[in-house]
Protein backbone atom coordinates (compact mmCIF):
# COMPACT_ATOMS: atom_id res chain seq x y z
CA UNK A 1 0.00 0.00 0.00
CA UNK A 2 1.17 3.55 -0.78
CA UNK A 3 0.38 6.90 0.82
CA UNK A 4 1.73 10.34 -0.06
CA UNK A 5 2.10 12.13 3.26
CA UNK A 6 2.27 15.92 3.51
CA UNK A 7 5.05 16.87 5.95
CA UNK A 8 5.62 20.23 7.65
CA UNK A 9 8.71 21.80 6.09
CA UNK A 10 9.22 25.08 7.92
CA UNK A 11 7.96 28.58 7.08
CA UNK A 12 6.88 29.52 3.57
CA UNK A 13 6.56 32.83 1.70
CA UNK A 14 2.97 34.00 2.16
CA UNK A 15 2.27 34.21 -1.58
CA UNK A 16 4.30 31.24 -2.85
CA UNK A 17 2.85 28.81 -5.39
CA UNK A 18 3.86 25.71 -3.44
CA UNK A 19 2.13 23.21 -1.21
CA UNK A 20 1.44 25.17 1.97
CA UNK A 21 -0.98 25.96 4.74
CA UNK A 22 -1.68 29.60 5.55
CA UNK A 23 -0.38 32.62 3.72
CA UNK A 24 -2.43 34.46 1.10
CA UNK A 25 -4.59 32.64 -1.45
CA UNK A 26 -3.63 32.78 -5.12
CA UNK A 27 -6.58 33.04 -7.48
CA UNK A 28 -7.51 34.13 -11.01
CA UNK A 29 -8.65 37.67 -11.74
CA UNK A 30 -12.19 38.34 -10.58
CA UNK A 31 -12.00 36.10 -7.52
CA UNK A 32 -14.35 37.14 -4.72
CA UNK A 33 -13.39 36.19 -1.16
CA UNK A 34 -15.90 33.56 0.11
CA UNK A 35 -18.33 34.52 2.85
CA UNK A 36 -20.04 32.25 5.41
CA UNK A 37 -23.75 32.19 6.06
CA UNK A 38 -22.98 34.04 9.31
CA UNK A 39 -21.92 37.02 7.20
CA UNK A 40 -18.20 36.88 7.98
CA UNK A 41 -15.38 36.06 5.56
CA UNK A 42 -13.95 32.56 5.57
CA UNK A 43 -10.39 31.94 6.73
CA UNK A 44 -7.89 30.72 4.13
CA UNK A 45 -6.41 27.38 5.18
CA UNK A 46 -4.45 25.70 2.41
CA UNK A 47 -2.97 26.07 -1.08
CA UNK A 48 -2.69 22.58 -2.62
CA UNK A 49 -1.27 22.35 -6.16
CA UNK A 50 -2.57 19.17 -7.84
CA UNK A 51 -2.18 17.72 -11.31
CA UNK A 52 -4.95 19.77 -12.91
CA UNK A 53 -4.84 23.02 -10.93
CA UNK A 54 -4.76 24.32 -7.38
CA UNK A 55 -7.13 23.43 -4.57
CA UNK A 56 -7.76 26.44 -2.33
CA UNK A 57 -9.39 25.59 1.01
CA UNK A 58 -11.36 28.04 3.20
CA UNK A 59 -13.22 27.55 6.53
CA UNK A 60 -15.24 29.84 8.77
CA UNK A 61 -13.53 30.74 12.06
CA UNK A 62 -15.58 33.79 13.02
CA UNK A 63 -17.49 31.87 15.71
CA UNK A 64 -15.96 28.36 16.01
CA UNK A 65 -18.57 25.73 16.75
CA UNK A 66 -21.49 27.89 15.66
CA UNK A 67 -20.94 27.59 11.92
CA UNK A 68 -20.90 24.00 10.60
CA UNK A 69 -17.56 23.98 8.78
CA UNK A 70 -17.45 20.19 9.25
CA UNK A 71 -20.42 19.68 6.89
CA UNK A 72 -19.69 19.34 3.15
CA UNK A 73 -22.93 21.14 2.26
CA UNK A 74 -22.41 24.09 4.63
CA UNK A 75 -21.59 27.64 3.56
CA UNK A 76 -19.01 27.62 6.39
CA UNK A 77 -16.40 26.04 4.13
CA UNK A 78 -15.34 26.36 0.50
CA UNK A 79 -12.95 24.51 -1.80
CA UNK A 80 -12.01 26.06 -5.14
CA UNK A 81 -10.23 24.23 -7.95
CA UNK A 82 -8.39 26.96 -9.85
CA UNK A 83 -6.49 26.55 -13.12
CA UNK A 84 -2.75 26.86 -12.55
CA UNK A 85 -2.31 29.69 -15.04
CA UNK A 86 -2.46 33.40 -14.15
CA UNK A 87 -2.87 32.98 -10.41
CA UNK A 88 -2.13 36.07 -8.34
CA UNK A 89 -2.26 37.05 -4.66
CA UNK A 90 -5.74 38.28 -3.79
CA UNK A 91 -6.84 41.28 -1.74
CA UNK A 92 -7.57 40.15 1.82
CA UNK A 93 -10.68 41.53 3.57
CA UNK A 94 -9.84 43.96 6.35
CA UNK A 95 -12.35 42.54 8.85
CA UNK A 96 -12.84 39.01 10.16
CA UNK A 97 -10.52 36.04 10.72
CA UNK A 98 -9.18 35.58 7.22
CA UNK A 99 -5.58 34.32 7.52
CA UNK A 100 -3.60 31.89 9.66
CA UNK A 101 -0.83 33.51 11.75
CA UNK A 102 1.93 31.75 9.79
CA UNK A 103 2.39 30.16 6.37
CA UNK A 104 3.92 26.66 6.49
CA UNK A 105 5.64 24.91 3.61
CA UNK A 106 4.76 21.29 2.89
CA UNK A 107 6.92 18.58 1.37
CA UNK A 108 5.58 15.22 0.24
CA UNK A 109 6.86 11.83 1.32
CA UNK A 110 5.75 8.58 -0.31
CA UNK A 111 5.28 5.85 2.29
CA UNK A 112 4.86 2.21 1.30
CA UNK A 113 4.10 -0.77 3.51
CA UNK A 114 2.97 -4.37 3.31
CA UNK A 115 -0.68 -4.66 4.50
CA UNK A 116 0.09 -8.06 6.01
CA UNK A 117 2.66 -6.47 8.32
CA UNK A 118 0.31 -3.77 9.60
CA UNK A 119 -0.98 -4.20 13.14
CA UNK A 120 -4.74 -3.98 12.63
CA UNK A 121 -6.90 -6.46 14.49
CA UNK A 122 -10.18 -5.18 13.00
CA UNK A 123 -9.53 -6.06 9.35
CA UNK A 124 -7.87 -4.34 6.41
CA UNK A 125 -5.48 -1.60 7.57
CA UNK A 126 -6.17 2.04 6.78
CA UNK A 127 -3.33 3.30 4.58
CA UNK A 128 -3.28 6.87 5.86
CA UNK A 129 -3.57 5.87 9.52
CA UNK A 130 -0.70 3.39 9.22
CA UNK A 131 1.53 5.85 7.34
CA UNK A 132 0.87 8.71 9.77
CA UNK A 133 1.17 6.69 12.97
CA UNK A 134 4.47 5.20 11.84
CA UNK A 135 6.06 8.48 10.73
CA UNK A 136 9.60 8.61 12.19
CA UNK A 137 8.70 6.01 14.81
CA UNK A 138 11.66 3.97 15.96
CA UNK A 139 11.15 0.23 16.57
CA UNK A 140 11.35 0.64 20.36
CA UNK A 141 9.00 3.66 20.46
CA UNK A 142 5.23 3.70 20.90
CA UNK A 143 4.81 7.02 19.09
CA UNK A 144 6.63 8.73 16.24
CA UNK A 145 6.51 12.36 15.12
CA UNK A 146 2.93 12.42 13.86
CA UNK A 147 2.62 16.15 14.55
CA UNK A 148 4.87 16.78 11.55
CA UNK A 149 2.26 15.18 9.30
CA UNK A 150 -0.14 17.78 7.88
CA UNK A 151 -2.21 15.30 5.90
CA UNK A 152 -1.88 13.41 2.62
CA UNK A 153 -2.55 13.76 -1.09
CA UNK A 154 -4.68 11.31 -3.04
CA UNK A 155 -5.43 7.78 -1.98
CA UNK A 156 -8.67 7.05 -0.15
CA UNK A 157 -10.43 8.84 2.72
CA UNK A 158 -9.38 7.47 6.10
CA UNK A 159 -12.15 5.62 7.99
CA UNK A 160 -14.91 7.65 6.28
CA UNK A 161 -18.26 5.95 5.79
CA UNK A 162 -19.69 5.86 2.26
CA UNK A 163 -22.76 7.86 3.30
CA UNK A 164 -20.52 10.84 4.11
CA UNK A 165 -18.92 11.01 0.66
CA UNK A 166 -20.11 14.33 -0.82
CA UNK A 167 -22.00 14.63 -4.11
CA UNK A 168 -21.03 17.28 -6.64
CA UNK A 169 -23.54 20.15 -6.47
CA UNK A 170 -23.43 20.47 -10.26
CA UNK A 171 -23.57 16.91 -11.65
CA UNK A 172 -24.63 15.06 -8.42
CA UNK A 173 -21.95 12.37 -8.91
CA UNK A 174 -19.89 11.28 -5.92
CA UNK A 175 -16.84 13.50 -5.64
CA UNK A 176 -13.25 12.23 -5.78
CA UNK A 177 -11.14 12.27 -2.64
CA UNK A 178 -8.20 14.68 -2.98
CA UNK A 179 -6.49 15.22 0.40
CA UNK A 180 -6.46 14.84 4.16
CA UNK A 181 -5.69 17.89 6.32
CA UNK A 182 -4.42 17.73 9.90
CA UNK A 183 -4.60 20.70 12.27
CA UNK A 184 -0.84 21.30 12.37
CA UNK A 185 2.18 21.36 14.66
CA UNK A 186 1.86 24.49 16.82
CA UNK A 187 -0.66 27.14 17.80
CA UNK A 188 1.01 29.55 15.37
CA UNK A 189 0.71 27.22 12.37
CA UNK A 190 -2.41 25.19 13.23
CA UNK A 191 -5.69 25.15 11.39
CA UNK A 192 -8.69 24.85 13.72
CA UNK A 193 -10.49 21.67 12.66
CA UNK A 194 -12.13 21.06 16.01
CA UNK A 195 -9.65 18.28 16.79
CA UNK A 196 -10.81 16.27 13.80
CA UNK A 197 -9.36 15.19 10.46
CA UNK A 198 -10.17 17.29 7.40
CA UNK A 199 -11.15 15.77 4.04
CA UNK A 200 -10.92 17.60 0.71
CA UNK A 201 -12.93 16.36 -2.27
CA UNK A 202 -13.12 17.47 -5.90
CA UNK A 203 -15.23 16.95 -9.00
CA UNK A 204 -12.67 17.54 -11.74
CA UNK A 205 -15.12 17.63 -14.63
CA UNK A 206 -17.26 20.31 -12.96
CA UNK A 207 -14.28 21.91 -11.17
CA UNK A 208 -16.20 21.85 -7.89
CA UNK A 209 -14.73 21.16 -4.45
CA UNK A 210 -16.00 20.13 -1.02
CA UNK A 211 -14.69 19.87 2.53
CA UNK A 212 -15.76 18.01 5.68
CA UNK A 213 -14.27 16.76 8.93
CA UNK A 214 -14.67 13.49 10.78
Amino acid sequence: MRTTLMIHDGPAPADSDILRTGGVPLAPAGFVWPVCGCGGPLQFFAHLPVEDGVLSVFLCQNDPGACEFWDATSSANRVHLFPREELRPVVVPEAGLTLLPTASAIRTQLVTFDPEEADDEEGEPDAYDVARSGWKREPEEQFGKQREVLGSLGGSPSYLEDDRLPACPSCTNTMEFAAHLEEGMTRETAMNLGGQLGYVFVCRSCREGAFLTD
Side-chain angles (χ1 to χ4, degrees):
M1 301 182 77
R2 298 156 60 94
T3 299
T4 301
L5 291 179
M6 297 195 294
I7 306 298
H8 182 270
D9 199 30
D15 59 355
S16 55
D17 187 15
I18 62 171
L19 273 169
R20 59 180 165 89
T21 60
V24 177
L26 306 182
F31 170 77
V32 177
W33 196 282
V35 175
C36 178
C38 71
L42 301 187
Q43 186 178 57
F44 174 64
F45 267 32
H47 177 90
L48 307 176
V50 290
E51 61 185 21
D52 53 354
V54 171
L55 291 166
S56 194
V57 183
F58 296 78
L59 271 68
C60 182
Q61 295 294 299
N62 294 294
D63 189 4
C67 298
E68 299 178 348
F69 65 74
W70 53 86
D71 185 344
T73 63
S74 171
S75 65
N77 63 63
R78 203 77 44 84
V79 176
H80 294 278
L81 176 58
F82 296 132
R84 199 68 185 270
E85 301 79 19
E86 300 184 6
L87 296 179
R88 64 199 70 185
V90 305
V91 177
V92 180
E94 295 182 359
L97 293 175
T98 55
L99 301 178
L100 294 175
T102 304
S104 299
I106 296 171
R107 64 180 176 89
T108 58
Q109 178 70 47
L110 181 62
V111 176
T112 61
F113 67 93
D114 185 342
E116 295 184 359
E117 297 179 358
D119 183 16
D120 193 330
E121 300 178 354
E122 298 182 0
E124 183 176 348
D126 180 86
Y128 174 67
D129 185 45
V130 171
R132 177 180 179 272
S133 62
W135 178 247
K136 290 188 176 179
R137 184 176 66 186
E138 299 298 330
E140 68 279 5
E141 294 179 340
Q142 183 177 2
F143 302 105
K145 295 185 178 179
Q146 294 97 324
R147 295 286 291 180
E148 294 182 357
V149 179
L150 299 184
S152 69
L153 288 175
S156 57
S158 178
Y159 296 118
L160 193 68
E161 299 295 333
D162 289 347
D163 60 1
R164 295 214 63 202
L165 299 177
C168 173
S170 295
C171 68
T172 72
N173 290 328
T174 300
M175 303 181 86
E176 175 187 346
F177 175 71
H180 293 109
L181 284 176
E182 299 282 355
E183 289 198 330
M185 290 186 62
T186 66
R187 180 175 298 180
E188 290 73 24
T189 62
M191 303 173 284
N192 179 16
L193 300 177
Q196 296 191 307
L197 179 61
Y199 300 77
V200 181
F201 290 84
V202 64
C203 177
R204 301 185 187 279
S205 58
C206 299
R207 304 196 71 81
E208 297 272 11
F211 179 88
L212 59 89
T213 68
D214 190 68

